[in-house]
Amino acid sequence: MSERPSDKRFEMETDIHTDFKEKMTYGDYLQLDQLLSSQKRLSGHHDEMLFIVIHQVSELWLKLIIHEIEGAIKAIKQDELQASFKMLARVSRTQTQIIQAWDVLSTLTPAEYMEFRDSLGNASGFQSYQYRLVEFVLGYKTPHILKIYEKDPELHAILEEAYRSPGLYDVAIQALARQGLPIDQTVLKRDFSKTYIPNESVEDAWLTVYQDVDRYWDLYQLGEKLVDLEDWFQQWRFRHMKTVERIIGHKKGTGGSSGVGYLKKVLDHQFFPELWSIRTRL
């Protein structure tokens, strides 16, 4: 019997570890037993596996996005802008992954989804607490959303803290002020539990940065990193809306939202409005 090429290659790698009776394996490190046993279909329908995996993978990417944005907020507060750029660039790259996830989910046809949709009950991506955390750290604060999480006091406390804390754009504006650019005190001392609204002094400050790039190079880079992040976020929202429309049309969402109608409305919201409006003034 001839030896398989794969066996030959394995024999040539004499330093490969094979005895893991007392050592941690790849699966141990990643806790794959727990991770890969978390896909529990309620309907038994073949395509429900796709639906579960896509949403679980998206939640993992959201976890990384939150981790990186929180790190960037901390770095910007300490005027370590270069460190924040790496984190924000990673967020943008991660966003491309969750955008592409919709392309995979769109292989689910309306007829296939209807076979197991009722099994979801009122469970919906609308209730994703990590998605709400992303919105909160980006400065989009919606108080009525907190009610969804009252059944879990620990989780509610995490969201409440993010809801009342300055978001990414708030600390970016504070960085503008520390560089000597005039920002209204009403903005710097605003109630961070409120969704940010555009301010003329902030627009003027960003305009100064973009008109004197050499002097304000770090702030200019920060502005462009924020624009990248919002651009990708809006593309994610758009792909979400079109995938939902493709699969369920204009039916109400399982969580009670208007579905496509709701998703279209949030497309109009901007996290960093002055970074977009200055482009017309430049």
Side-chain angles (χ1 to χ4, degrees):
M1 181 183 294
S2 62
E3 189 173 32
R4 291 180 299 174
S6 59
D7 294 335
K8 191 68 175 178
R9 288 196 298 268
F10 186 80
E11 286 180 5
M12 292 172 64
E13 297 288 342
T14 57
D15 292 330
I16 291 178
H17 297 286
T18 58
D19 184 0
F20 286 94
K21 292 177 181 177
E22 306 294 334
K23 299 176 184 176
M24 178 178 65
T25 66
Y26 170 83
D28 295 333
Y29 175 67
L30 295 177
Q31 300 184 55
L32 290 182
D33 284 348
Q34 180 180 349
L35 184 65
L36 298 179
S37 62
S38 297
Q39 296 73 45
K40 304 184 188 302
R41 289 178 291 168
L42 299 180
S43 68
H45 191 278
H46 175 84
D47 293 313
E48 190 181 355
M49 181 63 74
L50 163 67
F51 191 82
I52 293 171
V53 169
I54 285 292
H55 286 85
Q56 287 183 340
V57 168
S58 295
E59 289 292 334
L60 287 172
W61 283 129
L62 287 173
K63 183 172 185 176
L64 180 59
I65 287 172
I66 294 164
H67 176 72
E68 298 297 341
I69 293 178
E70 289 179 341
I73 288 174
K74 182 178 179 181
I76 294 168
K77 283 182 176 180
Q78 298 171 349
D79 288 321
E80 297 175 355
L81 297 188
Q82 289 295 327
S84 76
F85 299 157
K86 176 66 176 291
M87 300 170 194
L88 294 175
R90 185 173 291 158
V91 170
S92 294
R93 292 294 181 270
T94 304
Q95 288 173 299
T96 67
Q97 298 300 307
I98 60 174
I99 290 170
Q100 290 176 354
W102 295 121
D103 294 336
V104 181
L105 187 60
S106 66
T107 64
L108 181 68
T109 68
E112 290 164 346
Y113 182 48
M114 288 304 111
E115 290 290 327
F116 63 85
R117 188 179 191 235
D118 288 345
S119 300
L120 304 180
N122 294 127
S124 166
F126 185 84
Q127 298 143 16
S128 167
Y129 76 86
Q130 290 200 122
Y131 177 77
R132 297 306 167 188
L133 269 177
V134 170
E135 287 191 329
F136 287 177
V137 296
L138 292 180
Y140 183 51
K141 309 294 179 71
T142 45
H144 61 280
I145 291 296
L146 289 172
K147 186 173 179 61
I148 295 173
Y149 311 99
E150 288 179 348
K151 64 176 278 186
D152 187 334
E154 184 177 349
L155 178 55
H156 188 272
I158 293 171
L159 286 159
E160 181 81 24
E161 181 180 0
Y163 174 73
R164 301 197 178 280
S165 298
L168 178 61
Y169 198 44
D170 292 308
V171 298
I173 292 171
Q174 291 165 6
L176 292 173
R178 287 195 298 275
Q179 289 288 328
L181 293 159
I183 304 293
D184 289 347
Q185 288 297 306
T186 55
V187 177
L188 297 174
K189 297 180 179 180
R190 76 183 194 87
D191 180 354
F192 298 120
S193 69
K194 306 293 185 183
T195 295
Y196 178 81
I197 58 175
N199 178 272
E200 186 176 353
S201 71
V202 174
E203 182 175 293
D204 289 343
W206 281 121
L207 185 63
T208 299
V209 168
Y210 275 70
Q211 288 177 331
D212 195 349
V213 172
D214 291 339
R215 180 178 178 183
Y216 298 107
W217 177 244
D218 281 353
L219 291 174
Y220 171 71
Q221 288 186 90
L222 176 59
E224 286 299 285
K225 287 290 185 291
L226 296 181
V227 169
D228 283 344
L229 192 156
E230 179 155 0
D231 189 348
W232 285 112
F233 197 90
Q234 290 298 79
Q235 291 187 54
W236 181 86
R237 279 175 162 172
F238 179 78
R239 288 297 300 131
H240 184 188
M241 181 270 293
K242 293 306 292 184
T243 303
V244 170
E245 185 175 25
R246 175 172 178 160
I247 296 175
I248 67 168
H250 288 263
K251 295 184 182 71
K252 290 187 69 171
T254 50
S257 75
S258 58
V260 170
Y262 171 81
L263 296 173
K264 283 185 176 180
K265 282 188 292 185
V266 297
L267 280 173
D268 293 331
H269 177 263
Q270 290 183 327
F271 295 107
F272 320 127
E274 292 88 356
L275 282 167
W276 296 97
S277 59
I278 61 164
R279 280 154 164 77
T280 304
R281 294 179 61 188
L282 281 170

